Amino acid sequence: MPAAGIAPGGSGKEYPGNLTPFVTVTCVVAAMGGLIFGYDIGISGGVTSMDSFLLKFFPSVYRKKHADDTVNQYCQYDSQTLTMFTSSLYLAALLSSIVASTVTRVFGRKLSMLFGGLLFFAGALVNGFAQAVWMLILGRILLGFGIGFANQSVPLYLSEMAPYRYRGSLNIGFQLSITVGILVANVLNFFFNKIKGGWGWRLSLGGAMVPALIITIGSLVLPDTPNSMIERGQTEEAKTKLQRIRGVEDVDEEFDDLVAASAQSKLVEHPWTNLLQRKYRPHLAMAVCIPFFQQLTGINVIMFYAPVLFNSIGFGDDAALMSAVITGIVNVCATMVSIYGVDKWGRRFLFLEGGVQMLICQVVVAACIGAKFGIDGNPGDLPKWYSIIVVLFICIYVAGFAWSWGPLGWLVPSEIFPLEIRSAAQSVNVSVNMIFTFAVAQIFLMMLCHLKFGLFLFFAFFVVVMSIFVYFFLPETKGIPIEEMGQVWRSHWYWSRFVEAEAGHGNGNMEMAAKVV
C-alpha cells in the first residue's frame, strides 16, 4: 500500500479515533515499566556513596575515601570491583534483550513485560539480602535481565497502543516513569542513609521489589496490542480491541492496514538478516546511532554516579545525596515539558535545543571544576557559592537532556521501525543502549581519575557530534502514522538513495502495523 506524499509534521492519512480513557490508563500502567530502570539508576549511585555499604563490600574504597583530604579527590572511588557492581546489570540487559526480541514477537508484548517484572523482583530480593560481593553482582545480573525484557517491550507497546497524534506524549510516559524512579530512589537513599546501624542500604536495594511488583501486576491486567494480536493470528479479537482502543466503530481502514502489514511481515523469515538489507539502512543507522549518542551525552555519569560525583567535588555524604535529589526533581519536571511539547514542537527541535543546552553546561561545569580542583584534584576549602554554581549548571544540563535525548532516545526508534523488523530492530536499539551504558559505567570512575575535569569536555565533544547528526540525518516524525513513515525516508536528502526503490511497498506498508501508534 503506497504511502501518500507527506511533509514533515503531517500525513496523507488520518484514522478516526480518540484519546480514550481506556488507552490513557493502559499507557500509564504500561509506562510504569520504566520505574524499574529508573529506580535502579538512582539507587546504585546512592548506595555506593554510603559508608556502611562501602565498608562491608568495598573496604579499600572506604579507606581511600576517608584517607587524608589532601589526596586526589578525582580518584577516591576508582575501583574496578565497584564499577562492576554497577555495570554488570547493563551487560545482563544486553544479553536478555536479544532473547526478549523473540519473546516479544512470538508471544506478545505483555509476556515480555511479565518476565521483566519477575526477573527484576528476584534480583532485588538477592541484593536486599546480600552478604558478599558475588551476591550483589548476581542480583545485579538478574535485575539486568529484567530491564532487558522491559526496555524491549514497553516502548513498542506504548507506540502501538497510542493514537498517532498523541504517540509522542504517551510514549514519553516511559521516560517519565524512569525519571520518577530515579527521583524516588534518590529520596529513599537520602533517608535510608540516616538509619542507625548502617543497614539502610539493604532497604534501598531491596526496595526495587516495589516497582518490580507494579510492572508484574500491570502486565497481567493490560490488554495486548492489536498489532501483536494480529501477528499471532487473533484477527477478530484484534478488531474488537482496536474499536475499544480508538473509541469508535469505524476502524476498518486502520485495521486493514494492520492486517496487510502483518501479512507482509510474515513473508520475512529472518528479521535479523533482513535488517542488513539496503532498504532498512536508515532504520539500522538510527537503531545504532541514537542509543549510542544517548549514552555519550554523559547523562549516566550524572544520574547513577550523582552522589559519588558530588561527594568527589567536595560535598559531604548528606549534601551529595540531597544534590542528587535536586537533580532528580529537575529530571522529572523537564520530562513533563517534553510530554507537553513533543507533538507540538517536533522531535528535531527538542533534540537540537537540548544539545545546545547540554553543551554550554558541560563546558561551564568543566571550567568550574578545573578552576578549583586543577590537575592534582586537591581543591582546598570549597566556598558555598561554588557548590551552588556547580549544582545549578548540572541541573540545567539535566533539564536539557530530560526534554530531548532522554525521552526521544526511546521514542524515535520505537516509532520508525516497520513491523517486519520491529522486534529485531528494537532489540538492536536496546542492545546498543546497554553496551554503551555498560561501557560508560565500567570506565567512568577510571576516566574521572585520569581525565579529571576534562571528562565533561569529552562528553561535550560528543554532544556537538550528535547535534550535527540530528541536524543532517534525522527527519521529523511528528504527527505521522507509523504506516506512513516510509515516505519520511523517501523524501530525505540522504536516506532516499537507500529506500527510493521500495517506494511502493515494504517500508511504508509494514509500518502500518503500528499505525496504532
Side-chain angles (χ1 to χ4, degrees):
M1 191 180 246
I6 54 177
S11 169
K13 269 190 186 179
E14 291 191 9
Y15 300 117
N18 308 302
L19 182 60
T20 61
F22 174 71
V23 89
T24 303
V25 170
T26 296
C27 287
V28 167
V29 173
M32 291 298 104
L35 280 176
I36 61 176
F37 193 23
Y39 185 87
D40 178 79
I41 289 171
I43 221 70
S44 54
V47 296
T48 52
S49 72
M50 293 182 185
D51 283 349
S52 55
F53 178 80
L54 292 175
L55 188 60
K56 182 170 181 64
F57 296 106
F58 306 100
S60 63
V61 177
Y62 175 82
R63 286 192 296 273
K64 199 186 300 185
K65 179 181 174 184
H66 291 277
D68 185 349
D69 285 343
T70 61
V71 301
N72 189 334
Q73 295 294 299
Y74 291 123
C75 298
Q76 63 174 339
Y77 286 96
D78 186 16
S79 162
Q80 285 304 300
T81 314
L82 180 61
T83 50
M84 181 54 75
F85 161 71
T86 300
S87 58
S88 56
L89 176 146
Y90 303 102
L91 200 57
L94 158 66
L95 297 174
S96 71
S97 68
I98 297 169
V99 178
S101 167
T102 303
V103 173
T104 303
R105 185 179 73 254
V106 176
F107 299 105
R109 285 57 166 149
K110 281 181 53 170
L111 191 65
S112 195
M113 284 189 253
L114 176 63
F115 283 168
L118 291 174
L119 288 164
F120 198 85
F121 184 88
L125 204 60
V126 172
N127 271 352
F129 289 102
Q131 298 296 327
V133 172
W134 70 266
M135 289 183 72
L136 281 180
I137 292 177
L138 173 63
R140 296 286 292 172
I141 289 171
L142 289 170
L143 293 173
F145 287 155
I147 285 173
F149 274 94
N151 286 9
Q152 165 74 17
S153 52
V154 172
L156 291 185
Y157 184 93
L158 293 170
S159 280
E160 291 181 345
M161 287 295 282
Y164 71 89
R165 291 185 192 88
Y166 305 98
R167 184 176 66 234
S169 298
L170 289 174
N171 190 290
I172 289 175
F174 176 67
Q175 176 69 15
L176 179 63
S177 70
I178 290 177
T179 64
V180 169
I182 293 171
L183 175 59
V184 168
N186 287 335
V187 171
L188 292 179
N189 280 335
F190 180 76
F191 288 107
F192 289 159
N193 191 42
K194 295 180 179 297
I195 292 177
K196 291 191 171 139
W199 51 273
W201 61 268
R202 291 194 183 277
L203 295 178
S204 290
L205 295 177
M209 289 186 285
V210 175
L213 284 173
I214 290 173
I215 186 60
T216 301
I217 294 169
S219 69
L220 295 173
V221 300
L222 287 173
D224 222 333
T225 69
N227 309 61
S228 180
M229 295 170 78
I230 292 170
E231 232 179 335
R232 290 177 287 126
Q234 301 169 12
T235 310
E236 288 308 311
E237 298 96 319
K239 185 168 186 178
T240 305
K241 185 68 67 184
L242 185 59
Q243 288 169 332
R244 186 178 180 196
I245 289 170
R246 296 291 173 256
V248 294
E249 290 297 312
D250 179 19
V251 294
D252 289 347
E253 185 182 14
E254 183 173 4
F255 180 74
D256 290 344
D257 280 351
L258 290 174
V259 171
S262 178
Q264 183 139 352
S265 75
K266 286 177 181 172
L267 300 176
V268 178
E269 294 182 9
H270 306 290
W272 291 95
T273 308
N274 236 44
L275 264 177
L276 301 177
Q277 288 184 23
R278 181 178 174 83
K279 67 178 178 179
Y280 298 124
R281 199 68 50 79
H283 310 83
L284 183 59
M286 296 303 159
V288 172
C289 291
I290 289 177
F292 167 73
F293 285 138
Q294 187 191 48
Q295 294 314 307
L296 287 174
T297 57
I299 188 63
N300 281 342
V301 169
I302 302 297
M303 298 320 292
F304 56 62
Y305 285 118
V308 170
L309 182 66
F310 286 127
N311 195 289
S312 288
I313 59 175
F315 294 68
D317 283 351
D318 272 0
L321 289 171
M322 181 48 73
S323 299
V325 170
I326 292 168
T327 56
I329 293 170
V330 170
N331 201 9
V332 172
C333 295
T335 303
M336 291 179 179
V337 172
S338 186
I339 288 176
Y340 171 79
V342 68
D343 289 319
K344 291 182 174 64
W345 306 325
R347 281 65 160 154
R348 281 171 54 85
F349 171 80
L350 288 173
F351 266 131
L352 295 171
E353 191 283 333
V356 171
Q357 189 169 322
M358 287 189 292
L359 174 63
I360 293 169
C361 291
Q362 283 166 322
V363 171
V364 171
V365 169
C368 286
I369 295 177
K372 278 310 231 177
F373 285 75
I375 302 298
D376 61 4
N378 181 14
D381 291 329
L382 292 172
K384 190 168 185 182
W385 63 263
Y386 169 85
S387 301
I388 291 171
I389 288 176
V390 171
V391 173
L392 175 64
F393 275 94
I394 283 180
C395 285
I396 297 172
Y397 162 80
V398 168
F401 175 85
W403 61 51
S404 62
W405 279 92
L408 300 181
W410 294 106
L411 166 62
V412 172
S414 74
E415 68 184 0
I416 63 172
F417 302 138
L419 181 61
E420 73 270 27
I421 61 165
R422 187 167 302 145
S423 288
Q426 178 68 3
S427 183
V428 170
N429 179 53
V430 174
S431 298
V432 172
N433 193 299
M434 292 306 154
I435 286 171
F436 286 97
T437 305
F438 169 79
V440 170
Q442 188 64 24
I443 66 174
F444 160 65
L445 292 175
M446 183 173 63
M447 288 174 72
L448 178 63
C449 183
H450 291 90
L451 292 180
K452 304 172 174 61
F453 62 86
L455 179 64
F456 291 93
L457 298 178
F458 171 83
F459 288 118
F461 166 76
F462 280 101
V463 170
V464 172
V465 173
M466 66 187 70
S467 297
I468 292 171
F469 174 83
V470 167
Y471 185 81
F472 286 107
F473 296 106
L474 182 68
E476 182 57 70
T477 56
K478 175 187 77 169
I480 300 170
I482 288 188
E483 79 289 346
E484 297 282 312
M485 206 67 76
Q487 181 61 24
V488 168
W489 307 112
R490 288 192 286 276
S491 60
H492 189 269
W493 72 272
Y494 179 75
W495 299 120
S496 58
R497 69 194 69 184
F498 296 101
V499 299
E500 58 192 353
E502 307 297 326
H505 60 286
N507 240 21
N509 253 19
M510 287 315 74
E511 332 227 354
M512 32 191 85
K515 63 196 29 185
V516 200
V517 98

